[in-house]
Amino acid sequence: MRQALEKRIMFDKTLRQDVLDELDFDPSLDSTNIGVTVHDGVATLSGFVSSYAQKLAAVSATRRVKGVQAIADEIVVRHPEDKKTSDDQIAKRALDILKWDVLVPPGAIDVTVRNGMVTLSGEVRWHYQRSSAESDVRKLSGVQAVLNNITIKPQPIAANVRDKIESALRRSAELEAKEIKVRVAEGGEVYLDGRVHSLKESMAAANAAWAAPGVAQVHNRLVVA
């Protein structure tokens, strides 16, 4: 029992250092004020950063570390006093940048902002359009967080969509697909079950499923083990 406890503590200690090293290695991220704790493979990020994009970069870097099974994000966005942006300015900039993005259908996205929290709503045909809209907005100065309520317009789902997803999983260089089970339900809902080796693999599997025609929702139930 004691030996197992000591082994787990050592694993968490090593994993914490790996996360710290990855945060420090990422050139797009200032990790000076980010703290990391690890317990049973769950990494908790705390402290503060200067933008929402930095907050997401920290989470993304942590997700890349082998052995991380889950992430608790407690990082706070703390803007310098001279860089605070009013909600109406954020809303205008958000609408402008969405208009410039050729991947986002014109006029499809509505934007509301309150205390730096940006809420996106509307309907698009593809997940990549939904993701692109969120990616555009989260880089704006003054944004504290982004709530993506954009929905995927229902489309006829291909009869062989499961085969398409499974083929995409096998082609992916980022994951081992043999332990992933795919189930397609009515309404274009896809369920992913099974095991992967990292959170990065889990995200890669979900992205592969989203790319299939007719998919309206992906339920990622993959376990990191």
Coordinates of all heavy atoms in Angstrom, one line a residue, residues 133-184:
A133 N -15.4 30.7 -35.9 CA -16.0 31.9 -35.3 C -15.5 32.1 -33.8 O -15.1 33.2 -33.4 CB -17.5 31.7 -35.2
E134 N -15.4 31.0 -33.1 CA -14.9 31.1 -31.7 C -13.4 31.4 -31.7 O -13.0 32.3 -30.9 CB -15.1 29.7 -31.0 CG -14.6 29.8 -29.5 CD -14.8 28.5 -28.8 OE1 -15.7 27.7 -29.2 OE2 -14.1 28.2 -27.8
S135 N -12.6 30.8 -32.6 CA -11.2 31.1 -32.6 C -11.0 32.6 -33.0 O -10.0 33.2 -32.4 CB -10.5 30.2 -33.7 OG -9.2 30.5 -33.8
D136 N -11.8 33.2 -33.8 CA -11.6 34.6 -34.2 C -11.8 35.5 -33.0 O -11.0 36.4 -32.7 CB -12.7 35.0 -35.2 CG -12.4 34.4 -36.6 OD1 -11.2 34.0 -36.8 OD2 -13.3 34.3 -37.4
V137 N -12.9 35.2 -32.2 CA -13.3 36.1 -31.1 C -12.4 36.0 -29.9 O -12.1 37.0 -29.2 CB -14.8 35.8 -30.8 CG1 -15.2 36.6 -29.5 CG2 -15.7 36.2 -31.9
R138 N -11.9 34.8 -29.6 CA -11.2 34.6 -28.4 C -9.8 35.3 -28.4 O -9.2 35.5 -27.4 CB -11.0 33.1 -28.1 CG -10.1 32.4 -29.0 CD -10.3 30.9 -28.7 NE -9.3 30.1 -29.5 CZ -9.4 28.8 -29.6 NH1 -10.4 28.1 -29.1 NH2 -8.4 28.1 -30.3
K139 N -9.4 35.8 -29.6 CA -8.1 36.5 -29.7 C -8.2 38.0 -29.4 O -7.2 38.7 -29.3 CB -7.5 36.2 -31.1 CG -7.1 34.8 -31.3 CD -6.5 34.6 -32.7 CE -7.6 34.7 -33.8 NZ -7.1 34.3 -35.1
L140 N -9.4 38.5 -29.3 CA -9.6 39.9 -29.2 C -9.3 40.4 -27.8 O -9.5 39.7 -26.8 CB -11.1 40.3 -29.5 CG -11.6 40.0 -30.9 CD1 -13.1 40.2 -31.0 CD2 -10.9 40.8 -31.9
S141 N -8.7 41.6 -27.8 CA -8.4 42.2 -26.5 C -9.6 42.5 -25.6 O -10.6 42.9 -26.2 CB -7.6 43.5 -26.8 OG -7.4 44.2 -25.6
G142 N -9.5 42.2 -24.4 CA -10.6 42.5 -23.4 C -11.5 41.3 -23.2 O -12.3 41.4 -22.3
V143 N -11.4 40.3 -24.0 CA -12.3 39.1 -23.8 C -11.9 38.3 -22.6 O -10.7 37.9 -22.4 CB -12.2 38.2 -25.1 CG1 -13.0 36.9 -24.9 CG2 -12.8 38.9 -26.3
Q144 N -12.8 38.0 -21.7 CA -12.6 37.2 -20.5 C -12.9 35.7 -20.8 O -12.2 34.9 -20.2 CB -13.5 37.7 -19.4 CG -13.2 39.1 -18.9 CD -11.9 39.2 -18.0 OE1 -11.5 38.1 -17.5 NE2 -11.3 40.3 -17.9
A145 N -13.9 35.5 -21.6 CA -14.2 34.1 -21.9 C -15.2 34.1 -23.1 O -15.7 35.1 -23.4 CB -14.9 33.4 -20.7
V146 N -15.3 33.0 -23.7 CA -16.2 32.8 -24.9 C -17.2 31.7 -24.7 O -16.7 30.6 -24.4 CB -15.4 32.6 -26.2 CG1 -16.4 32.5 -27.4 CG2 -14.5 33.8 -26.5
L147 N -18.5 31.9 -24.8 CA -19.5 30.9 -24.7 C -20.0 30.7 -26.1 O -20.7 31.5 -26.7 CB -20.6 31.3 -23.8 CG -21.8 30.3 -23.6 CD1 -21.3 29.0 -23.0 CD2 -22.9 31.0 -22.7
N148 N -19.7 29.5 -26.6 CA -20.1 29.2 -28.0 C -21.4 28.4 -28.1 O -21.5 27.2 -27.8 CB -19.0 28.4 -28.7 CG -19.2 28.3 -30.2 OD1 -20.3 28.5 -30.7 ND2 -18.1 27.9 -30.9
N149 N -22.5 29.1 -28.3 CA -23.8 28.5 -28.4 C -24.3 28.4 -29.9 O -25.5 28.1 -30.2 CB -24.9 29.4 -27.7 CG -24.7 29.3 -26.2 OD1 -24.2 28.3 -25.7 ND2 -25.2 30.3 -25.5
I150 N -23.3 28.4 -30.8 CA -23.7 28.2 -32.2 C -24.1 26.8 -32.5 O -23.4 25.9 -32.0 CB -22.5 28.6 -33.1 CG1 -22.1 30.1 -32.9 CG2 -22.8 28.3 -34.6 CD1 -20.8 30.4 -33.6
T151 N -25.1 26.6 -33.1 CA -25.6 25.2 -33.4 C -25.3 24.8 -34.8 O -25.1 25.6 -35.7 CB -27.1 25.1 -33.2 OG1 -27.8 26.0 -34.0 CG2 -27.5 25.4 -31.7
I152 N -25.3 23.5 -35.0 CA -25.0 22.9 -36.4 C -26.4 22.6 -37.0 O -27.2 21.9 -36.4 CB -24.2 21.6 -36.3 CG1 -22.9 21.8 -35.5 CG2 -23.9 21.1 -37.7 CD1 -22.0 22.8 -36.1
K153 N -26.6 23.2 -38.2 CA -27.9 22.9 -38.9 C -28.0 21.5 -39.3 O -27.1 20.9 -39.8 CB -27.9 23.8 -40.2 CG -29.3 23.7 -40.9 CD -29.2 24.7 -42.1 CE -30.6 24.6 -42.8 NZ -30.6 25.6 -44.0
P154 N -29.1 20.8 -38.9 CA -29.3 19.4 -39.3 C -29.2 19.2 -40.7 O -29.8 19.9 -41.6 CB -30.7 19.1 -38.7 CG -31.0 20.2 -37.7 CD -30.3 21.4 -38.2
Q155 N -28.5 18.1 -41.1 CA -28.3 17.7 -42.5 C -28.6 16.2 -42.6 O -28.4 15.5 -41.6 CB -26.9 18.0 -43.0 CG -26.5 19.5 -42.9 CD -25.0 19.6 -43.3 OE1 -24.7 19.4 -44.5 NE2 -24.2 20.1 -42.5
P156 N -28.9 15.8 -43.8 CA -29.1 14.3 -44.0 C -27.7 13.6 -43.7 O -26.7 14.1 -44.2 CB -29.5 14.2 -45.4 CG -30.1 15.5 -45.8 CD -29.3 16.5 -45.0
I157 N -27.7 12.6 -42.9 CA -26.5 12.0 -42.5 C -26.3 10.8 -43.5 O -27.2 10.0 -43.7 CB -26.5 11.5 -41.1 CG1 -25.1 11.1 -40.7 CG2 -27.5 10.5 -40.8 CD1 -24.9 11.0 -39.2
A158 N -25.1 10.6 -44.0 CA -24.8 9.6 -44.9 C -24.9 8.2 -44.3 O -24.6 8.0 -43.1 CB -23.4 9.8 -45.5
A159 N -25.4 7.2 -45.1 CA -25.5 5.9 -44.5 C -24.2 5.3 -44.0 O -24.2 4.5 -43.1 CB -26.2 5.0 -45.6
N160 N -23.1 5.6 -44.7 CA -21.8 5.1 -44.3 C -21.0 6.0 -43.5 O -19.7 5.9 -43.6 CB -21.1 4.7 -45.6 CG -20.8 5.9 -46.5 OD1 -21.4 6.9 -46.4 ND2 -19.9 5.7 -47.4
V161 N -21.6 6.9 -42.8 CA -20.8 7.9 -42.0 C -19.9 7.3 -41.0 O -18.8 7.7 -40.7 CB -21.8 9.0 -41.4 CG1 -22.6 8.4 -40.2 CG2 -20.9 10.1 -40.9
R162 N -20.4 6.2 -40.4 CA -19.6 5.5 -39.4 C -18.3 5.0 -40.0 O -17.2 5.1 -39.4 CB -20.4 4.3 -38.8 CG -19.6 3.5 -37.8 CD -20.3 2.3 -37.2 NE -19.5 1.4 -36.5 CZ -19.9 0.3 -35.9 NH1 -21.1 -0.1 -36.1 NH2 -19.0 -0.4 -35.2
D163 N -18.4 4.4 -41.2 CA -17.2 3.9 -41.9 C -16.3 5.1 -42.3 O -15.1 4.9 -42.2 CB -17.6 3.2 -43.2 CG -18.4 1.9 -43.0 OD1 -18.3 1.4 -41.9 OD2 -19.2 1.5 -43.9
K164 N -16.8 6.2 -42.6 CA -16.0 7.4 -42.9 C -15.2 7.8 -41.7 O -14.0 8.2 -41.8 CB -16.9 8.5 -43.5 CG -17.5 8.3 -44.9 CD -18.3 9.5 -45.3 CE -18.9 9.3 -46.7 NZ -17.8 9.3 -47.7
I165 N -15.9 7.8 -40.5 CA -15.2 8.3 -39.3 C -14.1 7.3 -38.9 O -13.0 7.7 -38.6 CB -16.3 8.4 -38.2 CG1 -17.2 9.6 -38.5 CG2 -15.6 8.7 -36.8 CD1 -18.4 9.7 -37.5
E166 N -14.5 6.0 -39.0 CA -13.5 5.0 -38.6 C -12.3 5.0 -39.5 O -11.1 4.8 -39.1 CB -14.2 3.6 -38.6 CG -15.2 3.4 -37.5 CD -15.8 2.1 -37.5 OE1 -15.8 1.4 -38.6 OE2 -16.4 1.6 -36.5
S167 N -12.5 5.3 -40.8 CA -11.4 5.4 -41.8 C -10.5 6.6 -41.4 O -9.3 6.5 -41.5 CB -11.9 5.5 -43.2 OG -12.6 4.3 -43.6
A168 N -11.2 7.7 -41.1 CA -10.5 8.9 -40.7 C -9.6 8.7 -39.4 O -8.5 9.2 -39.3 CB -11.4 10.1 -40.5
L169 N -10.2 7.9 -38.5 CA -9.4 7.6 -37.3 C -8.2 6.8 -37.6 O -7.1 7.0 -37.0 CB -10.3 6.9 -36.3 CG -11.5 7.7 -35.7 CD1 -12.4 6.8 -34.8 CD2 -11.0 8.9 -34.9
R170 N -8.3 5.8 -38.5 CA -7.2 5.0 -38.8 C -6.1 5.8 -39.6 O -4.9 5.5 -39.4 CB -7.7 3.8 -39.7 CG -8.5 2.7 -38.9 CD -8.6 1.5 -39.7 NE -9.4 1.7 -40.9 CZ -10.7 1.5 -40.9 NH1 -11.4 1.2 -39.8 NH2 -11.4 1.8 -42.1
R171 N -6.5 6.8 -40.3 CA -5.6 7.6 -41.1 C -4.8 8.5 -40.2 O -3.7 9.0 -40.6 CB -6.3 8.4 -42.2 CG -6.8 7.6 -43.4 CD -7.1 8.5 -44.5 NE -8.1 9.5 -44.2 CZ -9.4 9.3 -44.3 NH1 -9.9 8.2 -44.7 NH2 -10.2 10.3 -43.9
S172 N -5.4 8.9 -39.1 CA -4.7 10.0 -38.3 C -3.4 9.5 -37.7 O -3.3 8.4 -37.0 CB -5.7 10.4 -37.1 OG -5.1 11.3 -36.3
A173 N -2.4 10.3 -37.9 CA -1.1 10.0 -37.3 C -1.0 10.3 -35.8 O -0.1 10.0 -35.1 CB 0.0 10.8 -38.0
E174 N -2.1 11.0 -35.3 CA -2.0 11.5 -33.9 C -2.6 10.5 -32.9 O -2.5 10.7 -31.7 CB -2.8 12.8 -33.8 CG -2.2 13.9 -34.6 CD -3.0 15.2 -34.4 OE1 -4.1 15.3 -34.9 OE2 -2.5 16.1 -33.6
L175 N -3.2 9.3 -33.4 CA -3.8 8.4 -32.4 C -3.8 7.0 -32.9 O -3.6 6.7 -34.1 CB -5.2 8.9 -32.1 CG -6.2 9.1 -33.3 CD1 -6.9 7.8 -33.7 CD2 -7.2 10.1 -33.0
E176 N -4.0 6.1 -31.9 CA -4.2 4.7 -32.1 C -5.7 4.4 -32.1 O -6.3 4.6 -31.1 CB -3.5 3.9 -31.1 CG -2.0 3.9 -31.1 CD -1.5 3.0 -32.3 OE1 -2.2 2.2 -32.8 OE2 -0.3 3.3 -32.7
A177 N -6.3 4.0 -33.2 CA -7.7 4.0 -33.4 C -8.3 2.6 -33.0 O -9.5 2.5 -32.9 CB -8.1 4.3 -34.8
K178 N -7.5 1.6 -32.7 CA -8.0 0.2 -32.6 C -8.9 0.1 -31.3 O -9.7 -0.8 -31.3 CB -6.9 -0.8 -32.6 CG -5.9 -0.6 -31.5 CD -4.8 -1.6 -31.6 CE -3.7 -1.4 -30.5 NZ -2.6 -2.4 -30.7
E179 N -8.7 0.9 -30.3 CA -9.5 0.8 -29.1 C -10.7 1.8 -29.1 O -11.3 2.1 -28.0 CB -8.6 1.0 -27.9 CG -7.6 -0.2 -27.8 CD -7.0 -0.2 -26.4 OE1 -7.7 0.0 -25.4 OE2 -5.7 -0.4 -26.4
I180 N -11.0 2.5 -30.2 CA -12.0 3.5 -30.2 C -13.2 2.9 -30.9 O -13.1 2.4 -32.0 CB -11.6 4.7 -31.0 CG1 -10.4 5.4 -30.3 CG2 -12.7 5.7 -31.1 CD1 -9.8 6.6 -31.0
K181 N -14.4 3.0 -30.3 CA -15.6 2.5 -30.9 C -16.5 3.6 -31.3 O -16.7 4.6 -30.5 CB -16.4 1.6 -29.8 CG -15.6 0.3 -29.5 CD -16.4 -0.5 -28.5 CE -15.7 -1.8 -28.2 NZ -14.4 -1.6 -27.6
V182 N -17.1 3.6 -32.5 CA -17.9 4.6 -33.0 C -19.3 4.2 -33.1 O -19.6 3.1 -33.7 CB -17.4 5.1 -34.4 CG1 -18.2 6.2 -34.9 CG2 -15.9 5.5 -34.3
R183 N -20.3 5.0 -32.6 CA -21.7 4.7 -32.8 C -22.4 6.0 -33.3 O -22.2 7.1 -32.8 CB -22.3 4.3 -31.5 CG -23.8 3.9 -31.6 CD -24.4 3.3 -30.4 NE -24.4 4.2 -29.2 CZ -25.4 5.0 -29.0 NH1 -26.5 5.0 -29.8 NH2 -25.4 5.7 -27.9
V184 N -23.2 5.8 -34.3 CA -23.9 6.9 -34.9 C -25.4 6.8 -34.6 O -26.0 5.7 -35.0 CB -23.7 7.0 -36.4 CG1 -24.5 8.2 -37.0 CG2 -22.2 7.1 -36.7

